């Protein structure tokens, strides 16, 4: 495995201009296993200049079909290198290998999906009457900036870079401080497959410093951001300086799951869903079902079965076989989650299982045992705020109307779900949940082919699906006077 990583600017690998190198820590062992060069504001400007210059270089001669074929070839390269990418992702982010492998495949699918969209973009003509011809061109926005988080670094890189490149834009990517190696490894595959210099640039480094430079610059014609609400507000403020379009902002959530199956014999699905909400990415997912509103007659058996299932989850480093969940990605996230666990207890929630470090794993590693809080209510901070860890809250409810009202009583609105065998109930709840994404009888329907994004504080814009790529384009109207003498 490579142990020293550099910035990728204008097709060249380089150190940051002030020579800063930062150690990269394996969150399961707290040991340093690599180092990465960090960029400075000067490096960010170099990347922006390279991206802007590339717009009129060789890249502008590539047909949409060629851009599409290129992205497909990068997808194939990602698959050829899947084992290595997954190993790197697990090493720096902590998720078990099977989850890292699934994320690598997701990254390949985004590249493939938007590669396929590249030559399907069209403009239109508008009939204004005789003597005139009016047509509408669909053009790329230009230089785009992509600020990525650490929870799904490969997946989120590809879900915005792929449509941006498919539509003919150029990109500067700023990965999260904690997790940037996989983004750089991915960039090397783009390079290997022949991306022209400057079309894709990756600048790791301090978010507050680089993020400000990248989002305030007048050369930038589109910004994509995934991260916290607080930083999202800063990005919007910075973008307002030059009225730079914000293509999408995905700012997390506090997804609700409504358990309304017929009786306790149908609890397998929701119990598996609750365990999955804690195990997948150790709960560090924007769509994590963290609030469980359970019909009162199902409440006791649900809690009993979830506790039993959670006790069977194996927590540990990705190097151990059969691990269901790994450590949290960083010390910062570990401290945040542990403080919410303490808060939950002081708020009066009943701890059913978990509640601290798992036993038998020693003192090293940012491990948190899957934690279930029962007897919660909507005024508790653990129910209102995004914890972003393997913690769920469970709340008994007496009716579907009450469950929908409580689910919607949140400043977030990314996604939510219902478990039910009643089709009418399912449709009615889907219509009433104030979120961008609803699932019924399962949580897994996130994907490349479907629009994903939120309402309220969860953000704006949609990633994925056939319309997502349109947000990376702009319309230009052209009118011709056909009667010129
Ligand atoms: O987020 P930040 P953090 C939530 C989750 C998590 C919390 C904090 O609850 O616990 O946010 O995580 C860059 N201008 N989500 O501190 O700061 C930063 O370098 C521009 C949910 O990591 O928002 C990183 O690349 N960019 C979420 C990115 O913003 C700036 C995923 C996100 O970091 C910047 C991640 C600035 N001023 C966290 N300051 C989701 N939606 O899934 C920092 N950054």
């Amino acid at each position: 495995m490579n142990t020293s990583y550099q910035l990728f600017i204008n097709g060249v690998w380089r150190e940051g201009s002030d020579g800063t190198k930062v150690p990269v820590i394996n969150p399961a062992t707290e040991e340093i296993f690599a180092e990465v060069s960090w960029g400075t504001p000067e490096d960010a400007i170099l990347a922006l200049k390279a991206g802007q210059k590339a717009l009129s270089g060789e890249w502008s001669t590539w047909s949409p079909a060629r851009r599409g074929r290129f992205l497909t070839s990068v997808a194939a390269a990602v698959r050829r290198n899947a084992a290595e990418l997954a190993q790197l992702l697990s090493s720096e982010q902590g998720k078990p290998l099977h989850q890292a492998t699934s994320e690598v495949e997701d990254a390949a699918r985004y590249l493939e999906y938007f590669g396929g969209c590249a030559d399907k973009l069209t403009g239109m003509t508008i009939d204004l009457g005789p003597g005139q011809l009016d047509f509408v061109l669909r053009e790329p926005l230009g230089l785009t900036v992509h600020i990525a988080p650490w929870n799904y670094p490969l997946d989120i890189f590809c879900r915005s870079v792929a449509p941006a490149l498919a539509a003919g834009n150029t990109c500067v990517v700023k990965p999260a401080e904690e997790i940037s190696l996989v983004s750089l490894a991915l960039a090397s595959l783009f390079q290997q497959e022949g991306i022209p210099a400057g079309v894709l640039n990756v600048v790791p480094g301090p978010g507050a410093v680089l993020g400000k430079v990248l989002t305030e610059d007048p050369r930038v014609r589109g910004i994509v951001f995934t991260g916290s609400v607080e930083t999202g507000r800063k990005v919007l403020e910075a973008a307002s300086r030059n009225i730079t379009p914000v293509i999408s902002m995905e700012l997390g959530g506090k997804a609700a799951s409504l358990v309304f199956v017929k009786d306790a014999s149908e609890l397998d699905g929701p119990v598996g869903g609750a365990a999955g909400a804690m195990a997948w990415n150790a709960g560090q997912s924007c769509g994590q079902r963290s609030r469980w509103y359970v019909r009162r007659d199902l409440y006791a058996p649900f809690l009993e079965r979830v506790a039993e299932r959670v006790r069977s989850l194996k927590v540990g480093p990705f190097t151990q076989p059969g691990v269901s969940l790994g450590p949290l990605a960083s010390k910062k996230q570990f401290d945040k989650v542990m403080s919410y666990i303490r808060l939950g207890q002081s708020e009066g929630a009943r701890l059913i299982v978990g509640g601290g470090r798992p036993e038998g794993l020693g003192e090293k590693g940012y491990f948190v045992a899957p934690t279930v809080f029962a007897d919660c209510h909507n005024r508790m901070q653990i129910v209102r705020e995004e914890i972003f860890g393997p913690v769920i809250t469970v709340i008994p409810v007496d009716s579907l109307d009450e469950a929908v009202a409580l689910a919607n009583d949140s400043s977030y609105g990314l996604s939510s779900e219902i478990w039910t065998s009643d089709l009418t109930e399912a449709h009615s709840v889907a219509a009433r949940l104030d979120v961008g994404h609803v699932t019924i009888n399962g949580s897994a329907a996130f994907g490349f082919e479907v629009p994903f994004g939120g309402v309220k504080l969860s953000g704006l814009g949609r990633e994925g699906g056939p319309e997502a790529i349109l947000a990376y384009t702009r319309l230009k109207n052209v009118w011709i006077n056909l009667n010129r003498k």
Side-chain angles (χ1 to χ4, degrees), residues 27-81:
T29 60
E30 298 181 43
E31 282 166 7
I32 297 170
F33 72 98
E35 62 174 17
V36 61
S37 295
W38 267 18
T40 62
E42 292 72 43
D43 296 314
I45 299 285
L46 272 184
L48 291 173
K49 284 184 175 163
Q52 193 186 36
K53 187 156 174 261
L55 284 167
S56 52
E58 186 200 332
W59 185 236
S60 65
T61 70
W62 283 30
S63 66
R66 184 166 175 196
R67 296 197 300 263
R69 272 199 308 277
F70 171 73
L71 289 170
T72 310
S73 77
V74 181
V78 166
R79 289 203 176 97
R80 280 197 305 278
N81 291 274

Side-chain angles (χ1 to χ4, degrees), residues 190-212:
F190 277 83
Q191 182 189 34
Q192 182 188 301
E193 294 305 305
I195 195 160
V199 173
L200 174 66
N201 307 276
V202 184
V203 189
V209 178
L210 300 186
K212 189 166 172 354

Side-chain angles (χ1 to χ4, degrees), residues 110-133:
Y110 273 119
L111 292 161
E112 198 167 66
Y113 180 82
F114 285 111
C117 293
D119 58 357
K120 318 284 183 300
L121 293 170
T122 55
M124 64 178 153
T125 60
I126 300 174
D127 187 356
L128 294 177
Q132 312 175 63
L133 175 62

Side-chain angles (χ1 to χ4, degrees), residues 147-151 174-178 207-208 211-212 225-228 231 234-235 250-252 286 332-333 336 386 388:
I147 297 184
W150 44 264
N151 55 339
K174 198 213 77 61
E177 286 90 331
E178 304 87 342
K212 189 166 172 354
F225 174 79
T226 307
S228 63
T231 306
K234 290 186 191 151
V235 169
E250 204 256 85
L251 305 178
C286 49
K332 180 177 149 190
Q333 196 58 28
K336 176 181 167 182
E386 186 175 54
F388 228 55

Side-chain angles (χ1 to χ4, degrees), residues 351-363:
L351 186 64
I352 297 286
V353 62
R357 287 183 68 85
E359 282 170 17
L361 283 173
E363 287 308 305

Side-chain angles (χ1 to χ4, degrees), residues 59 67 71 107 109-118 121 140-142 144 146 155-171 190 224 247-248 448 462-473:
W59 185 236
R67 296 197 300 263
L71 289 170
R109 282 290 292 128
Y110 273 119
L111 292 161
E112 198 167 66
Y113 180 82
F114 285 111
C117 293
L121 293 170
L141 295 172
T144 57
H146 306 246
D155 181 319
I156 290 175
F157 183 116
C158 291
R159 87 175 177 192
S160 72
V161 166
L165 295 181
N169 300 282
T170 58
C171 304
F190 277 83
V224 183
I247 298 166
S248 87
F448 338 92
R462 295 291 180 267
E463 301 283 357
E467 285 182 32
I469 193 170
L470 300 182
Y472 294 82
T473 66

